[in-house]
Every structure is written in structure tokens, then in C-alpha cells.
């Protein structure tokens, strides 16, 4: 049960696929820590006794980042700040409630300092930062900088049967390991893999998801099917075509080793972007709705999570194929009168961690390979070495050194020199 | 039961592995029709021109040649109207001539209209209006002779840089908006531009330049 608590509280996944599996699996469920947590067990018991309470919880992380390249590195000209920096990365709040025995709801949002400080570069090369400073109406002598809110998910779910739960709203796409378990305190490394950040499969979708779990002896088989607006410029509340995005996931979890979970996911849909213009012709208002970009896509992913004693392995392989429609192919941003080709992008990573018997220490290493869709960046290699320390069940310390290399880059603003970053982070649940 | 679960998993796994290669994407055809992949981007094949933002490419028709962004008539052909086909010029019309040497042999197009000192092209005389002239030609008068004047070479042709208009009478590439070749250094009084075009003084925009632009297109 403690494993379940941590997943539920930390990853905000109450009622999610992972927790459904965890509930069915009991002690065999996935847990990157692999230790007991009596305090949270008591907390969960209280929550279960009063399920109708609105549960408010969340996570946050605070990171020190320093780039280890020489101060004259060209990376600092275009992409990064050469100065070591402290920063709050994630500040996510969850609102969860068991509405009735079969109905529940989860809302997650991330509080942002953005758009303050967001940098935009004009076509003439001028860089400008957004400044949200405004005079505080409560104290006319003081300026405050307002920030933003990103709605990460908002859904309601009806649990009809262990084989059928129906979730409606805005939910995280059920694929892989990282996309669903995105709370920094439960993540082993500090930075998410590039291949996850590329969103080869949509990070989240708005629509309906059904899922269920079937126990098969000591193992379980979980399925999920999704129907959504698909990807689009405003896909969280407006579909700009008649093609709904569909997807699915199958997960086999067995007691082979101490933990063994194998998943396969797929998503297909059509992205459409349109521009609207209005004008007057012969006294009549005339509207023009032009399709500016459209592509069909197919994303596929496979993931493996395995643990044997203190050794933990996470691996994901993700691909995306996109085929643009004739007449709605985007122009290339660099070459005049040229358009972007269809593409096949893919990548994968492997993370291996080893839980030492002292102080909940887990040294880890990651390796990643990526073939992105950008023509000027044919491939990316990333490697990282770090240590994760679960100082308490709700506080995790991490430090890592990551090195990324982009060989054969044909972009004049992407240097050949690898990027080396040192991060130190504290992530906590509250 | 484990075995059946494993079998259940094997099918999607095989599908995933198979489609990791290509289910949707065709590496041999990553562009739209009439396009080819060059240095990682889709560009129009030879003989086709871009339809504009996202619009793909259209092959030029008969007697047309692809220029920077438009199909123009091949040498010796002319378009009667903007959307019409390129038709063969009447024999003798537009033939090169010289007022002090090479005469126009065709009895209909027997007038040598000089465009550069003594050299020029053959055309007809005696018109009263432009309707009596070949397509795109305008009835003009000079030295008491009324003749059919052809439009300046290259006028309205798509261009990306000054090089595309070099050597043409419309030698100025307007790269700010229309991206077409225009006739520079025209006079306002009298208006020296071809029929349907007007001389535009761009000094109001901070440019010490006059250009022939389509009537009604001069920024005020």
C-alpha cells in the first residue's frame, strides 16, 4: 500500500492507469524508491475513511543549473545563459475528489512565472523579453510580476467495472513511463529525456479515454483506448477538423523479476491549422477560412520498466511519422520557396539505477539517442550520470551531469561543441 | 494464462516494431506532387512553380517556362490575357531589327521600333486603338507614327533578386511586396509606362526611385 500512496500522492495519478495497476498488483506495483512509508500509509487511511474530502496536494522542485562549457562557448550566444542559476521549475497543484463510489475527478495545474522573461527573437534578430511588471493596486509603490497557469489535466471518471473505466476531459496520453509519471519527486533523473520533450505522441489530449485491467494469475493486462480532438493549435477546447485522434495502450505487468512491465502504445490523428479572415465585398461580409497546415500522423511507443532487487531499468522507444497534405504543407523557415518534407522521427532512452543500501542513495546513468524531424539536426546523443537520494518519502535530492552532442548539425546557430550541464535539485511533495 | 497474455502482447509488439519502420511515411516520396527533396526541403521540380504558402507546386503549361515564382511565356510566345495560354506570336512580330541596318521583312510588321539606340523589334503601324494591336500591345504615337508597342521585357515577371531581372527592360526587382520585375526610372509627365501601368514616384516612402506599377497600385 505505501507504494500506492506515493504514486497517488506524488504523481497525482489517483485513478490513473498506473494506480489501477498498482491497486491490482499490491506490493508488486512500480515504485522507483522500493521502500516502505508508514507515515503516508496512515495518511492514505485517513483519506480513504473520508473519501469525499477534496484532496489538495502537489509537488515542486528547485534546481541549481550550471553549464560547464567555456564562457566563450557559442551555445551561450544563442541558447543558454552562461551564468549559474537557481530556479523553481515545477510548481504543480492537484485537486482530487472521490465524488461518489464510482465517480472521481482530478485537476492538475502548473503555476508559472512565465510569460515574464519569455524571450522572442524578431526576424531582424532583435531579442526582447516579456516584462509583466505592473503596479500593485494594493501598494502603489510596488511593482509585481504576474505569471501564468498551465492546465495540465482536468477530468472526471466513472468506474463501471475493473475492466471498464471511462474518463472524460483533458488527460495525459497514456504512453510510456515518463509522460504519465511526470512529478519531479518520483522521477529518478532531473531532466526529462529529449525524446519525451519532443512530444512525438501528444503529451495530453482532450476527449474520452476508456481503460481497464484484467488480473491473470500473478500478472495483469491493462488496456486503454482514447478518442480525442487530436493534436491542433487549440486542441484543448476546439477541433479544427472532423478527424478525431485515436489511440491505445496495452501493458503487461508480471512478477517476473521483482517488477516487470512492458507497454506498447499508439496514436494516430490529423493536425489541422486554419486562418480566418473577414472582408467586405459588395456590401456583404465575406469570411475566408484557409487551411494553413495539415498532416496525418502516426505515433508509436514501447516501454519497459524492470526491477530486480536494487537494480532498476527504464527504457522507452518512441516514433512519429507525419505526412503533410498537399496544399497545406508548411514552408521552410530558412530556405525561400521551399516547404518542409514529411518526416519520420524517433528516439529512445535507457535509464539504469541502482539502489544502494545506505541513505536511500540511487546512482543512475542514462543514455539517449534521437533522430528528430529537423533537417538541420540529424541526430542527438545525450548521456547523464547522477545520484538520487530519497531523504524522506516526500523529499528527494538529486544531482546530475548531462552531456548532449549534436553531430552533423547543419544549422549555423548550432555549435559542434557538446553541451554539458550540471544540475542539483530538491523536489518535494506537499 | 501467462502464455495467452504474452500472445496478446506479441501482436501489438509486432505491429509497433513493424510500424517503427514506416506505416504512413514513405521515404521515397516525402514531398507533394511536382516537388522533389533537395537538401532536406521540398522544392518544385524543374518546369513547375510554387503556388505560394503551403500550396505545393504547379507544372507550367505548354510554351511556358518556370521563373522564380510564376510560369511565363517562352520566347516567341505571348499570353493574350493574364490567365490565357501562351500562344505563338505572329510571324515577324517582335523580330529583331535595326533602323540603320536590318529591316523588317514581314509586310504586316514592317515598322522597326527602336528600343536601344537603333536596334529594336518589328511591329505594325496604322493603329487607332490598342484593340487593333496584337495581344498585350498598346497603340502609341511617336514622331507622327502610330504603332503597336509591346510591353517592356520582363515586366511583371516574378523575381527573387535583382539578378532575375538583369538585362530586361523591367530591370528592377521589387523585393518588398510583389516580388516582380518592374521598369525603373519612368517619367510622370508624360507617363512613360506601358498601357495599363502608371509611373509611381516612391520618394514619399523615402526611396529616390520611380517605377512603373500596375494602375491603381501606386502607394499614396
Amino acid at each position: 500500500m505505501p507504494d500506492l500512496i506515493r504514486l497517488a500522492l506524488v504523481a497525482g495519478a489517483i485513478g490513473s492507469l498506473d494506480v489501477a495497476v498498482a491497486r491490482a498488483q499490491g506490493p508488486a506495483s512500480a515504485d522507483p524508491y522500493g521502500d516502505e512509508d508508514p507515515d503516508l500509509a496512515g495518511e492514505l487511511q485517513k483519506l480513504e475513511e473520508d473519501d469525499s474530502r477534496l484532496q489538495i496536494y502537489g509537488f515542486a522542485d528547485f534546481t541549481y543549473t550550471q553549464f560547464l562549457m567555456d564562457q566563450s562557448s557559442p551555445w551561450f550566444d544563442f541558447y543558454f545563459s552562461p551564468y549559474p542559476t537557481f530556479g523553481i521549475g515545477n510548481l504543480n497543484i492537484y485537486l482530487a475528489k472521490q465524488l461518489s463510489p464510482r465517480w472521481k475527478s482530478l485537476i492538475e495545474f502548473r503555476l508559472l512565472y512565465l510569460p515574464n522573461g519569455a524571450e522572442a527573437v524578431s526576424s531582424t534578430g532583435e531579442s526582447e523579453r516579456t516584462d509583466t511588471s505592473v503596479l500593485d493596486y494594493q501598494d502603489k509603490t510596488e511593482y509585481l510580476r504576474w505569471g501564468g497557469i498551465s492546465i495540465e489535466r482536468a477530468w472526471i471518471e466513472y468506474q463501471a467495472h475493473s475492466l471498464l473505466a471511462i474518463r472524460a476531459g483533458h488527460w495525459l496520453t497514456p504512453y510510456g513511463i515518463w509522460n504519465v509519471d511526470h512529478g519531479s519527486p518520483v522521477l529518478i533523473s532531473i531532466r526529462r529525456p529529449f525524446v519525451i520533450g519532443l512530444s512525438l505522441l501528444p503529451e495530453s489530449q482532450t476527449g474520452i479515454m476508456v481503460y481497464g485491467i484484467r488480473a491473470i494469475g500473478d500478472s495483469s493486462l491493462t488496456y486503454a483506448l482514447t478518442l480525442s480532438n487530436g493534436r491542433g493549435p487549440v486542441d484543448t477546447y476546439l477541433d479544427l477538423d472532423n478527424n478525431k485522434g485515436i489511440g491505445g495502450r496495452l501493458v503487461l505487468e508480471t512478477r517476473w523479476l521483482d517488477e516487470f512491465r512492458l507497454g506498447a502504445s499508439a496514436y494516430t490523428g490529423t493536425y489541422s491549422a486554419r486562418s480566418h479572415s473577414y472582408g467586405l465585398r459588395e456590401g456583404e461580409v465575406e469570411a475566408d477560412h484557409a487551411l494553413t497546415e495539415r498532416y496525418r500522423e502516426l505515433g508509436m511507443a514501447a516501454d519497459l520498466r524492470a526491477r530486480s532487487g536494487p537494480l532498476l531499468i527504464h527504457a522507452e522507444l518512441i516514433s512519429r511519422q507525419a505526412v503533410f497534405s498537399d496544399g497545406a504543407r508548411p514552408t521552410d523557415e530558412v530556405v525561400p520557396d521551399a516547404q518542409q518534407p514529411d518526416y519520420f522521427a524517433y528516439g529512445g532512452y535507457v535509464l539504469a539505477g541502482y539502489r544502494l543500501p545506505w541513505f536511500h542513495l540511487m546512482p543512475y546513468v542514462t543514455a539517449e539517442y534521437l533522430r528528430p524531424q529537423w533537417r538541420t539536426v540529424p541526430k542527438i546523443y545525450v548521456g547523464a550520470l547522477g545520484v538520487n537520494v530519497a531523504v524522506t518519502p516526500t523529499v528527494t535530492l538529486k544531482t546530475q551531469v548531462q552531456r548532449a552532442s549534436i553531430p552533423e548539425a547543419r544549422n549555423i546557430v548550432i555549435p559542434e561543441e557538446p553541451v554539458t550541464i550540471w544540475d542539483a535539485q530538491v523536489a518535494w511533495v506537499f | 494464462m501467462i502464455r495467452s497474455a504474452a500472445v496478446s502482447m506479441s501482436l501489438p509488439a509486432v505491429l509497433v516494431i513493424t510500424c517503427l519502420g514506416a506505416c504512413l511515411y514513405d521515404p521515397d516520396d516525402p514531398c507533394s506532387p511536382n516537388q522533389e527533396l533537395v537538401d532536406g526541403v521540398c522544392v518544385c521540380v524543374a518546369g513547375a512553380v510554387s503556388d505560394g504558402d503551403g500550396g505545393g507546386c504547379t507544372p507550367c503549361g505548354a510554351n511556358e517556362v518556370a521563373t522564380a515564382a510564376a510560369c511565363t511565356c517562352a520566347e516567341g510566345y505571348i499570353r493574350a490575357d493574364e490567365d490565357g495560354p501562351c500562344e505563338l506570336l505572329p510571324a515577324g512580330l517582335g523580330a529583331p531589327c535595326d533602323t540603320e541596318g536590318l529591316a523588317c521583312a514581314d509586310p504586316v510588321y514592317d515598322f522597326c521600333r527602336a528600343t536601344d539606340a537603333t536596334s529594336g523589334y518589328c511591329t505594325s503601324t496604322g493603329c487607332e486603338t490598342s484593340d487593333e494591336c496584337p495581344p498585350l500591345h498598346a497603340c502609341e504615337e511617336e514622331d507622327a507614327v502610330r504603332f503597336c508597342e509591346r510591353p517592356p521585357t520582363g515586366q511583371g515577371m516574378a523575381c527573387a533578386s535583382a539578378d532575375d531581372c538583369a538585362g530586361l527592360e523591367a530591370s528592377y526587382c521589387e523585393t518588398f511586396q510583389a516580388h516582380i520585375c518592374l521598369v525603373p526610372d519612368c517619367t510622370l509627365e508624360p507617363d512613360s509606362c506601358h498601357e495599363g501601368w502608371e509611373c509611381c514616384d516612391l520618394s514619399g516612402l523615402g526611396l529616390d526611385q520611380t517605377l512603373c506599377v500596375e494602375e491603381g497600385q501606386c502607394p499614396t
Side-chain angles (χ1 to χ4, degrees):
Chain A
M1 290 302 280
D3 296 337
L4 167 62
I5 301 159
R6 186 173 292 109
L7 276 175
L9 288 178
V10 175
I14 289 178
S16 76
L17 220 54
D18 293 307
V19 173
V21 172
R23 282 194 169 125
Q25 291 300 103
S29 64
D31 178 13
Y33 297 96
D35 52 6
E36 294 294 312
D37 179 10
D39 294 340
L40 282 175
E43 185 63 24
L44 181 70
Q45 193 173 353
K46 277 196 291 184
L47 290 175
E48 286 180 341
E49 286 168 359
D50 189 3
D51 249 349
S52 62
R53 262 193 336 192
L54 175 66
Q55 299 161 37
I56 303 173
Y57 51 97
F59 70 89
D61 56 63
F62 168 70
T63 308
Y64 171 81
T65 298
Q66 182 172 352
F67 289 88
L68 301 182
M69 297 88 76
D70 187 84
Q71 289 286 309
S72 61
S73 169
W75 282 106
F76 297 130
D77 293 336
F78 302 110
Y79 296 98
F80 308 120
S81 165
Y83 313 111
T85 299
F86 293 111
I88 293 288
N90 293 283
L91 180 49
N92 289 35
I93 311 288
Y94 294 79
L95 304 176
K97 184 163 183 176
Q98 189 76 37
L99 303 169
S100 77
R102 291 188 179 276
W103 289 92
K104 61 188 163 194
S105 167
L106 176 72
I107 294 168
E108 177 190 356
F109 51 91
R110 179 182 171 196
L111 303 178
L112 300 162
Y113 295 106
L114 291 171
N116 187 60
E119 194 173 9
V121 181
S122 71
S123 57
T124 56
E126 299 296 322
S127 172
E128 192 172 343
R129 283 192 187 281
T130 301
D131 182 1
T132 64
S133 300
V134 289
L135 201 59
D136 187 346
Y137 60 86
Q138 294 211 81
D139 182 351
K140 293 291 187 185
T141 63
E142 193 172 338
Y143 279 87
L144 64 81
R145 295 171 181 162
W146 56 267
I149 295 174
S150 168
I151 301 172
E152 304 275 307
R153 43 184 160 169
W155 52 252
I156 187 166
E157 182 179 297
Y158 179 72
Q159 180 81 43
H161 187 270
S162 64
L163 286 172
L164 181 64
I166 303 165
R167 182 176 295 178
H170 178 202
W171 28 263
L172 299 176
T173 301
Y175 86 89
I177 301 166
W178 205 283
N179 195 59
V180 177
D181 294 344
H182 70 190
S184 44
V186 293
L187 299 173
I188 294 169
S189 59
I190 293 178
R191 292 179 178 270
R192 67 180 178 178
F194 278 62
V195 70
I196 304 296
L198 271 185
S199 294
L200 298 180
L201 271 73
E203 183 179 344
S204 63
Q205 299 174 63
T206 299
I208 297 167
M209 178 170 93
V210 297
Y211 70 88
I213 182 168
R214 171 80 188 273
I216 309 168
D218 285 343
S219 303
S220 68
L221 191 62
T222 307
Y223 79 91
L225 296 170
T226 61
L227 176 72
S228 74
N229 286 339
R231 231 193 275 252
V234 282
D235 52 48
T236 45
Y237 63 89
L238 186 63
D239 197 346
L240 296 179
D241 59 40
N242 285 319
N243 299 291
K244 291 287 176 257
I246 57 172
R249 174 164 170 79
L250 272 178
V251 182
L252 174 69
E253 186 160 356
T254 79
R255 285 183 177 274
W256 188 48
L257 305 176
D258 293 316
E259 179 192 346
F260 186 84
R261 200 175 81 168
L262 187 63
S265 310
Y267 164 83
T268 186
T270 301
Y271 173 96
S272 298
R274 296 176 187 276
S275 67
H276 295 180
S277 60
Y278 306 94
L280 276 175
R281 174 176 284 187
E282 296 174 359
E284 299 283 326
V285 177
E286 202 173 63
D288 181 35
H289 305 273
L291 187 66
T292 55
E293 184 177 342
R294 170 173 285 178
Y295 61 81
R296 288 179 297 138
E297 65 174 314
L298 173 64
M300 312 209 65
D303 59 275
L304 169 71
R305 183 145 81 178
R307 185 168 59 87
S308 178
L311 179 64
L312 178 75
I313 302 286
H314 286 181
E316 290 190 59
L317 182 62
I318 309 168
S319 77
R320 180 190 191 193
Q321 304 169 48
V323 173
F324 293 100
S325 298
D326 297 337
R329 183 180 293 277
T331 53
D332 188 84
E333 292 173 356
V334 177
V335 183
D337 294 327
Q339 295 176 316
Q340 296 174 23
D342 304 337
Y343 61 83
F344 174 43
Y346 63 92
Y349 74 90
V350 177
L351 181 152
Y354 192 88
R355 179 68 68 190
L356 296 172
W358 321 288
F359 311 112
H360 301 291
L361 276 168
M362 178 180 270
Y364 62 86
V365 60
T366 69
E368 186 180 357
Y369 177 68
L370 185 60
R371 297 282 300 213
Q373 64 265 39
W374 311 310
R375 68 181 175 85
T376 54
V377 182
K379 52 189 163 186
I380 301 173
Y381 298 97
V382 186
L385 196 63
V387 180
N388 174 313
V389 190
V391 289
T392 78
T394 53
V395 178
T396 304
L397 301 177
K398 309 173 196 176
T399 183
Q400 72 173 37
V401 174
Q402 187 179 56
R403 190 173 174 87
S405 173
I406 309 175
E408 302 171 25
R410 292 182 292 158
N411 190 322
I412 55 172
V413 294
I414 296 183
E416 292 180 0
E417 177 190 358
V419 178
T420 308
I421 314 168
W422 170 46
D423 292 304
Q425 182 182 79
V426 54
W428 68 99
V429 179
F430 54 85
Chain B
M1 293 297 265
I2 292 288
R3 186 171 178 173
S4 66
V7 170
S8 301
M9 280 301 297
S10 65
L11 181 60
V14 167
L15 282 175
V16 167
I17 291 166
T18 304
C19 279
L20 283 176
C23 283
L24 187 65
Y25 170 75
D26 181 357
D28 297 324
D29 185 22
C31 297
S32 296
N34 305 309
Q35 289 185 327
E36 60 184 342
L37 191 67
V38 176
D39 288 337
V41 293
C42 296
V43 296
C44 296
V45 297
V49 294
S50 172
D51 296 338
D53 287 350
C57 299
T58 301
C60 292
N63 308 317
E64 293 178 339
V65 291
T67 55
C71 293
T72 55
C73 290
E75 192 174 345
Y77 291 83
I78 197 164
R79 216 185 290 273
D81 55 69
E82 196 174 324
D83 299 321
C86 290
E87 297 168 342
L88 191 63
L89 281 166
L93 176 63
C97 60
D98 192 297
T99 54
E100 294 182 355
L102 182 63
C104 295
D106 191 290
V108 177
Y109 307 107
D110 59 353
F111 176 68
C112 185
R113 164 65 172 158
T115 54
D116 182 15
T118 60
S119 63
Y121 62 93
C122 298
T123 186
S124 57
T125 54
C127 60
E128 290 297 326
T129 68
S130 296
D131 293 341
E132 299 168 21
C133 291
L136 300 181
H137 285 60
C139 190
E140 298 287 348
E141 182 175 339
E142 190 172 284
D143 297 335
V145 177
R146 296 190 68 82
F147 63 97
C148 293
E149 185 181 60
R150 64 156 168 72
T153 56
Q155 182 169 263
M157 191 181 84
C159 63
S161 68
D163 290 346
D164 294 332
C165 307
L168 301 169
E169 289 169 12
S171 58
Y172 184 91
C173 182
E174 192 277 281
T175 55
F176 295 101
Q177 190 173 6
H179 300 277
I180 55 175
C181 299
L182 298 174
V183 176
D185 305 325
C186 55
T187 59
L188 294 163
E189 295 291 341
D191 194 323
S192 62
C193 295
H194 194 69
E195 189 176 87
W197 297 69
E198 63 178 324
C199 190
C200 183
D201 183 0
L202 300 177
S203 58
L205 301 177
L207 294 172
D208 184 20
Q209 179 76 62
T210 57
L211 291 171
C212 289
V213 300
E214 284 190 84
E215 282 181 350
Q217 297 298 311
C218 184
T220 54

